[in-house]
Amino acid sequence: MTTPGQQQEPAGSVRSWLLEGLQRDRGAGGPHADEPGVHHSWWQVMCLTGVDYFSTLGYQPGIAALAAGALSPVATSLLVVLTLFGALPTYRAVAERSPHGMGSIAMLERLLPRWWGKLFVLVLLGFVATAFVFTITLSASDATAHILQNPFVPESLQGQRVVITLLLIAVLGAIFLRGFSEAIGLAVVLVAAYLLLNVVVVAVSLSEVVTNPGLLADWRHALTTEHSGPLAMIGMSLLVLPKLALGLSGFETGVAVMPQIKGELSERIKGTRRLLTTAAVIMSVFLLASSVATSVLIPANEFKEGGKASGRALAYLAHHYLGDWFGTAYDVSTIAILWFAGASALTGLLNIVPRYLPRYGMAPDWARAVRPLVLVFTAISFGITILFGAQVEPQGGAYATGVLALILSAATAVTIAAFREGRRASGAAFGVIAAVLLYAAVENIRERPDGLQIALLFVLAIVVTSLISRATRSTELRATHIELDETAKKIVLDLDGELRLIANEPDARDPAEYAEKDRETREYHHLPDDEPMIFLEVTLGDASEFESELRVLGEMRHGYRVLTVHSPAVANTVAAILFHLRDLTGRRPHVYFHWAEGNPVGALLRYLVFGGGDVPPLTREVIRKAEPEVARRPQVHVS
């Protein structure tokens, strides 16, 4: 539906450039929208999500060593178990139940009705923003660490950690502003090169472990000295497991890119499951192997901040055992995939935000466009980077909080769905997974409360700005499409003379109700008895919805012409139908209301929350804002 009075932006203006590609469809969403001609094989799409998932090898072994010490391989083994038997089956189920790239958020949105569902989604979006923004900043920060630790980098760059990280983020944002159409092709190259180099580094490192039994003996001695037995080791590993949650990142992105996979819906679901399973198995093998190699071969003090293995454990091994030239090649590959992990996260944000906030009326309409969102998220990433001084480890708490919240929401969604479908065994299994993830999330928050604090700031910012946006946009037309059935068209088109409608709040809908409303309208407005009138009745639906498609039904009831429609807001719907009738008939409609009584502030709140309120002045305001030409505005009469 074209907005009355809508004006074209002049070609070449900054605004038109920013809003280029504005998504008008309610379900549209950014670069991964389901468009013909942009589908790929599942393994290619795996590389797109893999740049986020696999790139954690750049810093995960070091974080595991800092958190667990000599226990790193044991704790990583538990993480692998949680990956393969927790996160993986959860997201395989999400892929089946939410196959259009909307993820677990869409599942929970369907499970919770009306405003509660909207508010819950806003909270989840806060955690989504936390996870994805910190993917951008932490990955860029770790890329900077690899740059600065390379022996060929000039000394003059030392101490410029924040500046270099900001530059990496700025380049990322600039590329998205220009248009990023070759993401998958580049992702395939980066992932293939990175995994191949990691195979070499891990294989050589494990060979060193095998050929130097003394190193392995030292590691075993440290392990048994610090812990009395296997149960103590497992217990301590469970305590540090939440700190390793970064190794679970990438699953939500995996389902977000589902629309990119070619094939029919059933084939797309199968492809996504292959994607998730293959990525999880590859990552699990690398995590286990790298945790053994780094724990045995790297001195503990090198993992600490300022150490040569800080945030770059595998790069340290590459330089130490394969030489600086190979190590530099590994650094370049790691820097590239870490930087591109930010691209994957930014792509995820650009897919999720346009699918929810504008549809809820909780963001400006420009939030459907890519470029304004890129500027917003780039600015936020700048702020986070400066706040944390581009340090890797301090950002881990917030990142892990966001990741765990997303996976926990997914496990909760599939648990509820399984029980509703009558599959109690599956529901119980997913419930156990959700309980484990809940423990990990709570323990992570207890250990690093700053992560929750930052996530809650994101949540608060999204909720407050969303509600303000909803209030300021409440007087838009809010109808995406209007359709009249055949009876409604006949009523309107067969009418001679002026097009006059009586806005009627349906009650008993008996002859007395229509007769009384017709008599009062004619009496108050001095209309003759033979003047044809049409009753317009709007029945409120889910007032939490912002936009809606309107289907207007016509009927002859007790001898009166009646148009009926269901919608989330009365005033906006009346205004939208008046404009539609004007365009359909070429006549300027008149609508007649009775004044509502009561507190005007209460009426405004009822309108914002329940879609009702003081309808006449709100209808006039909607019409005034939608149509700048006074002579073309439908007439509003109140008595």
Side-chain angles (χ1 to χ4, degrees):
M1 175 180 174
T2 302
T3 303
Q6 188 176 34
Q7 298 179 352
Q8 293 286 335
E9 289 291 334
S13 70
V14 174
R15 179 179 171 84
S16 64
W17 177 78
L18 283 172
L19 299 183
E20 182 181 349
L22 185 71
Q23 300 285 347
R24 290 293 180 186
D25 294 336
R26 296 179 70 214
H32 293 153
D34 191 3
E35 299 175 357
V38 293
H39 300 138
H40 306 271
S41 299
W42 66 267
W43 62 269
Q44 292 175 305
V45 180
M46 180 192 73
C47 292
L48 184 61
T49 183
V51 293
D52 176 13
Y53 194 24
F54 300 142
S55 69
T56 57
L57 286 171
Y59 47 82
Q60 177 72 12
I63 289 177
L66 276 176
L71 268 178
S72 175
V74 181
T76 301
S77 299
L78 295 181
L79 177 65
V80 168
V81 171
L82 183 58
T83 297
L84 297 178
F85 299 100
L88 177 58
T90 294
Y91 276 93
R92 284 172 61 92
V94 170
E96 181 180 1
R97 291 169 175 82
S98 183
H100 300 289
M102 305 285 274
S104 58
I105 297 177
M107 293 179 63
L108 291 168
E109 180 188 29
R110 292 193 295 268
L111 294 173
L112 293 172
R114 298 179 179 266
W115 281 109
W116 290 113
K118 304 290 188 297
L119 290 173
F120 189 74
V121 167
L122 291 180
V123 172
L124 277 182
L125 287 177
F127 286 98
V128 169
T130 303
F132 284 175
V133 168
F134 273 89
T135 298
I136 296 170
T137 60
L138 190 147
S139 298
S141 299
D142 197 46
T144 301
H146 282 76
I147 292 172
L148 295 179
Q149 289 288 348
N150 187 277
F152 298 115
V153 171
E155 284 290 329
S156 59
L157 290 180
Q158 301 300 322
Q160 302 300 317
R161 179 188 292 266
V162 173
V163 174
I164 295 173
T165 304
L166 291 177
L167 181 61
L168 290 174
I169 295 172
V171 172
L172 179 67
I175 289 176
F176 271 82
L177 287 174
R178 183 178 181 274
F180 208 14
S181 59
E182 299 300 327
I184 286 187
L186 182 57
V188 170
V189 173
L190 290 177
V191 167
Y194 184 66
L195 291 182
L196 181 61
L197 290 171
N198 271 286
V199 167
V200 175
V201 172
V202 171
V204 169
S205 299
L206 291 179
S207 174
E208 288 292 329
V209 172
V210 172
T211 56
N212 291 276
L215 294 173
L216 196 58
D218 292 340
W219 172 71
R220 287 176 178 171
H221 177 72
L223 201 60
T224 54
T225 301
E226 296 174 5
H227 309 285
S228 58
L231 289 179
M233 295 178 190
I234 293 173
M236 184 58 66
S237 297
L238 285 171
L239 290 177
V240 301
L241 177 63
K243 295 182 179 180
L244 278 60
L246 302 187
L248 295 171
S249 67
F251 280 98
E252 192 72 26
T253 310
V255 293
V257 297
M258 283 187 70
Q260 289 262 11
I261 299 176
K262 65 182 178 182
E264 299 297 326
L265 192 61
S266 60
E267 296 172 337
R268 193 174 295 178
I269 293 172
K270 290 179 182 177
T272 303
R273 288 180 159 186
R274 292 192 193 104
L275 178 160
L276 294 169
T277 303
T278 305
V281 170
I282 291 173
M283 189 63 175
S284 296
V285 171
F286 274 113
L287 284 175
L288 282 173
S290 63
S291 67
V292 171
T294 54
S295 298
V296 174
L297 297 176
I298 300 177
N301 62 311
E302 295 290 0
F303 290 110
K304 297 178 181 179
E305 187 63 42
K308 294 181 179 179
S310 176
R312 54 185 299 278
L314 289 176
Y316 175 94
L317 294 177
H319 281 272
H320 189 76
Y321 292 105
L322 292 161
D324 285 338
W325 285 106
F326 183 92
T328 298
Y330 183 84
D331 283 340
V332 170
S333 177
T334 305
I335 291 164
I337 199 169
L338 282 167
W339 172 81
F340 202 74
S344 176
L346 187 53
T347 301
L349 285 169
L350 296 177
N351 273 273
I352 290 174
V353 170
R355 284 173 171 160
Y356 289 99
L357 295 185
R359 178 161 59 90
Y360 292 173
M362 292 180 172
D365 198 44
W366 54 256
R368 297 181 191 269
V370 169
R371 285 171 177 146
L373 289 178
V374 170
L375 292 174
V376 170
F377 292 130
T378 301
I380 293 172
S381 299
F382 277 6
I384 294 293
T385 299
I386 294 170
L387 178 66
F388 283 90
Q391 300 292 329
V392 175
E393 172 61 22
Q395 296 181 60
Y399 188 13
T401 299
V403 169
L404 287 170
L406 284 179
I407 301 180
L408 177 59
S409 71
T412 302
V414 296
T415 299
I416 296 172
F419 277 116
R420 286 192 172 186
E421 294 166 1
R423 299 186 301 112
R424 295 185 178 180
S426 295
F430 284 122
V432 171
I433 294 171
V436 173
L437 290 168
L438 178 62
Y439 154 74
V442 171
E443 186 65 19
N444 177 70
I445 291 169
R446 188 186 68 81
E447 285 282 332
R448 297 181 286 187
D450 59 312
L452 178 63
Q453 293 166 3
I454 293 171
L456 289 179
L457 286 176
F458 274 95
V459 170
L460 181 64
I462 286 178
V463 170
V464 171
T465 56
S466 296
L467 294 179
I468 291 173
S469 177
R470 177 67 180 248
T472 57
R473 295 187 62 196
S474 61
T475 53
E476 295 179 9
L477 285 177
R478 296 168 56 175
T480 58
H481 178 71
I482 299 177
E483 179 183 356
L484 275 64
D485 72 355
E486 290 303 318
T487 305
K489 287 181 182 177
K490 183 175 177 58
I491 288 174
V492 173
L493 295 176
D494 289 355
L495 202 66
D496 294 326
E498 296 286 347
L499 197 59
R500 302 184 187 276
L501 296 92
I502 300 174
N504 180 47
E505 183 177 357
D507 189 11
R509 303 194 76 205
D510 56 14
E513 177 183 334
Y514 291 104
E516 178 65 17
K517 199 66 170 282
D518 182 77
R519 183 193 63 79
E520 289 180 351
T521 301
R522 295 180 188 277
E523 183 177 299
Y524 283 133
H525 299 283
H526 309 290
L527 299 174
D529 292 341
D530 60 351
E531 182 77 21
M533 308 289 284
I534 301 174
F535 282 86
L536 177 58
E537 298 179 345
V538 181
T539 302
L540 279 173
D542 182 0
S544 68
E545 291 293 331
F546 184 73
E547 296 176 332
S548 63
E549 296 183 359
L550 303 178
R551 177 166 171 77
V552 183
L553 306 179
E555 63 175 309
M556 294 299 297
R557 190 174 185 85
H558 310 303
Y560 297 95
R561 304 173 186 85
V562 182
L563 303 179
T564 61
V565 64
H566 287 260
S567 86
V570 176
N572 310 71
T573 299
V574 171
I577 291 175
L578 291 176
F579 280 120
H580 184 75
L581 296 182
R582 181 200 68 182
D583 297 339
L584 179 67
T585 65
R587 288 175 282 173
R588 187 182 179 193
H590 298 256
V591 64
Y592 299 89
F593 293 97
H594 288 288
W595 279 114
E597 295 182 356
N599 189 303
V601 176
L604 180 60
L605 291 176
R606 286 196 302 275
Y607 168 66
L608 293 174
V609 179
F610 302 112
D614 197 358
V615 175
L618 290 168
T619 302
R620 184 186 181 281
E621 179 62 15
V622 173
I623 291 172
R624 185 191 67 81
K625 290 184 67 175
E627 179 54 76
E629 296 183 32
V630 176
R632 288 177 48 81
R633 292 175 186 167
Q635 292 271 36
V636 177
H637 306 270
V638 186
S639 58

